[in-house]
Structures are given as C-alpha cells and as structure tokens.
C-alpha cells in the first residue's frame, strides 16, 4: 500500500475531495472567526466613542458643572442624567464629584455612595474610552470624562452601554456574514467536486500508484526496444520520443517541439500530415535508410495524434548492394564459363574431325578477340575497395549489354578511409547512370566514371549515354521518392548519396542535365575520403 495514502481503502480522488472540502471549511471558519473578532472589537470601540461623546455633552452642561461644584446629590442632576440616558439608550449616565461620590445614578439608592469602578484617571483630567467593566449594574462598555470649571476638575461623568447590546449587534452581523460564508463554503465544495470529477476524467480513473507504474512501464518499453518511437499530438507537437528515435533520425527531438520545425525527412512530415496509416515507408535520415510505420491514434472518434516507428535498414541495404555486386560478378563469371566451354567444345570438334587448319584459325581468332570482362584499371586507381566496386559495376553493365569505363584522366593513387561512404555515393551514382543509359535510345549504352584525387578529397563524375534528366525532375531529383523508375520502392539512391556526401562536408549535384544528344552528368565532392598515402 502506498505510504502517501491517508486512507488506504479510499480512492485517491475521494481523498482529494475530502481534503479540499476540509481546507475550504477551515479557511471559511477562520475567516468567520477573524471577522467576528474584528467586528466585536470595532463595535466595542464605536460604543465607547459614542459613550464618550454623550459624557462630554453632559459634562459641558452648566447645570451639571454647577451641581458638581456644589456637590448637589439628586435633584436636577438626577433628572438630567435620567433624561440623557433615556434619550440615548445608554445603560447609565453617572455624575460624581471630585471625591468619586455619586451625585446622579439610575438607581437612586446608589446616590451618595462612592463609585464601584475607579474614576481617578478621569478626575486627573484624562478621558477613558471603551473600558469594559462591571459596576453596580451589568457588564458594560463605558467611557469617562472630567467635569471642568475653568482649569479645575470638579467631577466626572461616566456613560455606559450594556455589553449585550454590543453582542446582539455583533451577532446580527455575524449571522449576515455566516450567510455569505455558507455560500462560499457551498461554492468551494461544488468547485472541489467538479475538480475531482475533472481529475477522474483526465486520469481515466487511475490511482497515483497505477499512473506511476504506467510511467515506469512506458519508460522501460520506450528505451528497451530496438526501434525508434516518435509520438505527436493533434497539433503535431512532439509528446513522446525515445533515444533510439533521436539516434536514427540524427537530430535532437525535444518534447513539445512542433514537428514542422524539426529537420526530418519530407516523407515523415507527409505521413503525419495525411493522418493515414503508413506501412514500411522508406525514408532517408543522414546516412541511414529508415523503414517508417505510422498509425493515427483516436479515442471515442476524437483524434489524439500519431505514433511513428523507425527501423534502420542501412545495414541491410549495404549488404544488399554488396550481394548485388557479388551476384553480378558471379553471373558474369558464369556467363564467361559457359562461353568458354562452348568455344572449347567447338575447338575440340574441329580437332576430332581433323580440321587442323580451321582449328588453328579459330584459336587465333579467340586469342585476338577475347578480353577480360572488366578492363584492367592499371595504376589509375590503387585502392582495392574502389577497384572491387568498379569491377563489380563493370560486370553488371556487361551483363546488361552496356559498357562501363573509367575516364582516361582518372587518378587515385591513395587509399580510401571510408569505404562505406565511397560505396554509397559512387555505387548509387553508377546505378542511377546504368539505369538511365539502359532506358536511353542511344546504342551502345555506356557509362563513364571519373575519379580524381585532390589531396584528401575525392572528386567523382558519372556520365551516361541516356536521354538526360526531364525538366520537371531537375529541381527535385535529390528528394526522397523522386525517380524515373515505375516500380515502387525507388527514389532513395540519389537522396542517400547526397546525404552521405554532405555528412562529410561535401556534396552531390547534377552538373549537366543532358538532352537528346547527350546524357546527364553527376558530380560529387568527398572531402577527407582519401588517406593521402599510397596503399
């Protein structure tokens, strides 16, 4: 059971609801208590100031001043104090002389007696405001002020209001405040209930420990599989991605970033924009060929986003190209073996029939016409990887009835430092040229490859005898999926060659699109591809 659970058997959303309601009740209760205290204090002060004002008006009455000087008990002073008390609603109006002897009091029997609460402060000439005291009557809020004749204090006036009056006034205000507090409490409880309902909907009713387990499982799955995973929401912002996706795509993919701002393959952007399921879509990312699958995610017919998965097919393509080269060489050798066997059979037949002269002439003809399938490269290209690649492509061309030759000005005396990059660029350019030459109208169909070393930089040129690049394709020839081949799955070779070259700081471009009289010319520059030392 989670340690954070206050009530192990109670759902977390209900705990949150109760906690929120408790907080609202506590805040409202404290607020009412604070308001009550402030109201009581304020009203006590107001009643005290009211009592002081009444006392000052009585102390300024000449009749009261004269009576206090004469120490006259009862009589006009009593009448005057009772009239003021009745008119103002005060609990009492008491007049004393300078010896604290009552001269007027609501209870006649108290006249002539000393006051029950000290009047020394008032007789000293100071006002006493809002003193809560209990004398001969009930607990009251009272104020006192001196009676002066000139500069001499001759007595004091004390006026008080019943505390119950203050309490009743406070209670009425508290009752009114409680109505608003109750409304605030109901509003807070309702808001808490709505928030609780929203929380259940957002979390799909899952408990925190279940959400934690889902998070751990998601992280384990995302970072444990060998495929790249990238998820975007309905606004095409990245919501989920794993490290493998960043590695395969060759770029940083921050969560929350708009997909349109990321440097991804146009095919990936198109797959997400269309929102349709995509299976085994080939895309280029850097030097890699990726297989992309895309699925739109929906819940209750509401689109939530798209999930893409990426698989690396680079190694497979490399092996496939190498296998194609080996197969081409094998097919060429097998064709040579069959041709050589046929010639031997012919020569054997001539000798068996006794046609010695004809056999010698036939043998002389074979000696003069028979050449190796691949012309020797001599000292033009010293690197064994480049030699093997050119021999394989030559055999492939001859098998299809075409000619592949090395330009006379080719010169590569040093070794290649990255055979994979060289094979990617040169192999794809040659394959593209062979296809163009075979589809062209000129015969014999041919391809010329030029290799020239410039320090550690290798310059490559590939020209074909085809019909040139059509005008609509010239500006987008290196985009993924753009191809003159009708069969699906093509359009990656040139894009992959350019990516591989640019990854090394070089480039591949169409130097001459060609026309009806000459084929296309592709040129590549590959810096730091050569070692600078002869092998």
């Amino acid at each position: 059971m989670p340690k954070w659970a206050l009530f192990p058997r109670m759902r977390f959303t209900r705990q949150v609801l109760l906690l929120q309601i408790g907080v609202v009740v506590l805040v409202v209760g404290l607020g009412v208590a604070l308001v009550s205290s402030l109201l009581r204090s304020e009203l006590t002060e107001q009643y005290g100031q009211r009592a002081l004002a009444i006392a000052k008006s009585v102390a300024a009455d000449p009749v009261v001043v004269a009576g206090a000087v004469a120490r006259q008990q009862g009589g006009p002073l009593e009448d005057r104090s009772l009239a003021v008390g009745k008119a103002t609603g005060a609990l009492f109006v008491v007049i004393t002389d300078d010896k604290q002897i009552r001269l007027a009091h609501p209870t006649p029997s108290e006249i002539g007696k000393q006051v029950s609460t000290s009047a020394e402060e008032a007789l000293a000439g100071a006002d006493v405001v809002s003193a809560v005291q209990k004398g001969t009557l009930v607990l009251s809020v009272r104020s006192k002020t001196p009676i002066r004749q000139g500069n001499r204090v001759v007595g004091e006036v004390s006026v008080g209001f019943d505390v119950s009056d203050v309490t009743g006034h406070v209670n009425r205000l508290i009752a009114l405040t409680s109505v608003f507090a109750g409304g605030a409490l109901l509003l807070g409880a309702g808001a808490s209930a709505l928030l609780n309902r929203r929380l259940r909907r957002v979390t799909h009713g899952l408990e925190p420990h279940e959400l934690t387990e889902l998070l751990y499982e998601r992280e384990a799955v995302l970072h444990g599989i060998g495929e790249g995973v990238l998820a975007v929401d309905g606004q095409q912002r990245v919501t989920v991605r794993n490290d493998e996706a960043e590695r395969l795509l060759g770029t940083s993919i921050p969560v929350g970033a708009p997909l349109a701002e990321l440097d991804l393959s146009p095919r990936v952007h198109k797959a997400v924009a269309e929102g349709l399921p995509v299976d085994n879509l080939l895309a280029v990312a850097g030097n890699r060929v990726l297989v992309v699958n895309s699925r739109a995610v929906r819940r209750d017919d509401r689109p939530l986003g798209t999930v893409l998965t990426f698989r690396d097919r680079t190694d497979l393509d490399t092996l496939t190209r190498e296998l194609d080269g080996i197969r081409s060489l094998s097919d060429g050798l097998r064709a040579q073996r069959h041709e050589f066997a046929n010639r031997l059979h012919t020569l054997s037949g001539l000798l068996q029939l006794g046609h010695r002269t004809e056999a010698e002439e036939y043998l002389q003809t074979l000696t003069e016409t028979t050449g190796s399938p691949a012309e020797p490269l001599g000292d033009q290209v010293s690197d064994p990887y480049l030699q093997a690649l050119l021999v394989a492509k030559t055999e492939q061309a001859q098998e299809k009835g075409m000619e592949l030759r090395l330009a006379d000005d080719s010169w590569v005396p040093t070794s290649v430092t990255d055979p994979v990059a060289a094979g990617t660029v040169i192999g794809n350019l040659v394959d593209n040229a062979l296809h163009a030459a075979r589809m062209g109208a000129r015969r014999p169909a041919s391809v010329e490859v030029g290799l020239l070393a410039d320090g550690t930089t290798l310059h490559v040129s590939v020209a074909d005898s085809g019909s040139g690049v059509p005008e609509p394709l010239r500006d987008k020839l290196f985009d993924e999926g753009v191809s003159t081949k009708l069969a699906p799955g093509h359009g990656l070779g040139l894009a992959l060659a350019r990516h591989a070259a640019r990854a090394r700081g070089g480039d591949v471009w169409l130097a001459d699109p060609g026309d009806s009289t000459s084929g296309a010319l592709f040129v590549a520059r590959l810096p730091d591809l050569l070692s600078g030392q002869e092998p």
Side-chain angles (χ1 to χ4, degrees):
M1 194 62 60
K3 296 181 179 179
W4 46 262
L6 299 177
F7 308 98
R9 296 184 180 180
M10 186 179 296
R11 293 183 63 84
F12 175 72
T13 52
R14 186 166 298 175
Q15 295 181 35
V16 172
L17 177 61
L18 294 178
L19 180 61
Q20 290 173 336
I21 292 177
V23 170
V24 172
V25 171
L26 178 62
V27 170
V28 171
L30 290 177
V32 171
L34 179 61
V35 169
S36 301
S37 176
L38 293 175
L39 285 175
R40 185 176 297 277
S41 176
E42 182 66 22
L43 287 175
T44 300
E45 180 67 19
Q46 290 180 6
Y47 271 86
Q49 292 292 340
R50 181 180 176 185
L52 180 63
I54 296 172
K56 283 183 175 293
S57 66
V58 173
D61 190 341
V63 175
V64 174
V65 175
V69 172
R71 291 184 175 88
Q72 180 183 4
Q73 298 180 0
L77 294 181
E78 178 71 5
D79 294 340
R80 191 62 60 93
S81 67
L82 291 177
V84 171
K86 183 177 181 181
T88 60
L91 177 64
F92 62 84
V93 178
V94 177
I95 304 173
T96 69
D97 59 14
D98 57 354
K99 303 297 182 182
Q100 301 189 43
I101 301 301
R102 299 188 185 101
L103 303 178
H105 191 277
T107 306
S109 60
E110 296 294 331
I111 298 175
K113 297 180 181 180
Q114 190 170 7
V115 293
S116 57
T117 58
S118 176
E120 293 180 357
E121 189 175 353
L123 293 175
D127 293 332
V128 178
V129 184
S130 303
V132 180
Q133 296 174 334
K134 182 177 181 181
T136 57
L137 300 175
V138 296
L139 187 68
S140 61
V141 179
R142 62 187 65 190
S143 296
K144 301 177 182 181
T145 189
I147 302 173
R148 300 177 185 274
Q149 185 185 43
N151 293 327
R152 185 169 66 94
V153 176
V154 295
E156 60 90 19
V157 178
S158 177
V159 178
F161 288 91
D162 193 344
V163 169
S164 62
D165 293 342
V166 179
T167 303
H169 198 171
V170 170
N171 290 339
R172 287 191 295 273
L173 292 177
I174 291 177
L176 183 61
T177 304
S178 298
V179 173
F180 289 98
L185 180 61
L186 292 177
L187 182 61
S192 299
L194 292 177
L195 181 60
N196 181 64
R197 182 178 179 183
R198 172 65 177 171
L199 182 61
R200 287 199 305 269
R201 183 182 303 143
V202 170
T203 61
H204 301 288
L206 296 177
E207 295 294 300
H209 67 277
E210 296 175 326
L211 293 175
T212 302
E213 293 173 359
L214 285 177
L215 176 62
Y216 291 157
E217 292 173 0
R218 191 200 75 162
E219 291 299 315
V221 170
L222 281 179
H223 301 287
I225 62 177
E227 294 184 353
V229 178
L230 175 63
V232 297
D233 59 14
Q235 287 71 41
Q236 296 190 13
R237 292 190 301 265
V238 177
T239 56
V240 176
R241 57 98 180 91
N242 61 358
D243 298 337
E244 186 66 11
E246 289 188 328
R247 187 185 71 85
L248 293 177
L249 294 174
T251 183
S252 176
I253 308 177
V255 174
L259 190 68
E261 297 181 0
L262 300 179
D263 184 18
L264 302 180
S265 167
R267 286 189 168 187
V268 175
H269 289 291
K270 184 178 180 181
V272 176
E274 292 180 350
L276 300 176
V278 175
D279 293 315
N280 300 327
L281 175 69
L282 297 181
V284 175
N287 294 332
R288 301 180 184 277
V289 177
L290 304 180
V291 179
V292 183
N293 290 276
S294 173
R295 290 292 182 273
V297 181
R298 307 181 67 87
R299 180 180 177 85
D300 299 332
D301 294 331
R302 181 168 63 92
L304 300 180
T306 305
V307 176
L308 300 99
T309 59
F310 306 92
R311 295 196 309 272
D312 192 357
R313 225 189 73 167
T314 306
D315 296 338
L316 179 61
D317 282 354
T318 302
L319 292 176
T320 301
R321 286 195 299 270
E322 293 179 357
L323 180 60
D324 288 341
I326 295 174
R327 183 181 293 113
S328 299
L329 183 59
S330 175
D331 292 342
L333 293 176
R334 185 168 58 252
Q336 294 176 34
R337 182 175 60 82
H338 285 296
E339 183 66 19
F340 186 68
N342 292 332
R343 293 174 178 179
L344 287 180
H345 292 160
T346 302
L347 182 60
S348 175
L350 290 174
L351 293 175
Q352 290 178 5
L353 294 175
H355 301 295
R356 183 181 180 88
T357 303
E358 287 80 356
E360 291 179 354
E361 292 177 354
Y362 182 68
L363 185 60
Q364 182 66 29
T365 302
L366 292 179
T367 303
E368 294 176 352
T369 59
T370 301
S372 60
E375 296 182 1
L377 300 180
D379 295 334
Q380 288 181 282
V381 178
S382 302
D383 182 77
Y385 294 104
L386 294 180
Q387 289 182 349
L389 176 64
L390 292 175
V391 168
K393 293 302 180 182
T394 301
E395 294 292 342
Q396 181 180 353
Q398 290 182 351
E399 180 184 357
K400 297 178 180 180
M402 295 183 290
E403 178 187 5
L404 189 147
R405 59 181 178 271
L406 187 65
D408 295 335
D409 57 353
S410 296
W411 178 249
V412 184
T414 56
S415 60
V416 172
T417 59
D418 190 351
V420 175
T424 299
V425 176
I426 300 175
N428 281 297
L429 290 179
V430 171
D431 288 341
N432 186 71
L434 289 176
H435 173 76
R438 185 165 60 89
M439 299 301 294
R442 282 187 291 275
R443 292 294 181 271
S446 63
V447 173
E448 183 179 82
V449 179
L451 302 175
L452 183 62
D454 181 12
T456 60
T457 301
L458 177 64
H459 296 273
V460 181
S461 64
V462 179
D464 61 70
S465 61
S467 302
V469 179
E471 179 68 28
L473 297 181
R474 293 177 184 178
D475 293 335
K476 55 182 179 179
L477 191 62
F478 291 93
D479 294 344
E480 296 176 30
V482 177
S483 175
T484 58
K485 301 181 179 68
L486 299 178
H490 296 284
L492 295 176
L494 291 178
L496 190 59
R498 170 170 279 186
H499 276 293
R502 289 182 173 179
R504 306 186 59 87
D507 203 356
V508 176
W509 65 94
L510 178 63
D512 184 1
D515 51 27
S516 57
T517 60
S518 62
L521 172 63
F522 287 86
V523 177
R525 183 177 60 86
L526 304 175
D528 299 326
L529 188 68
L530 303 177
S531 64
Q533 299 178 354
E534 296 185 4

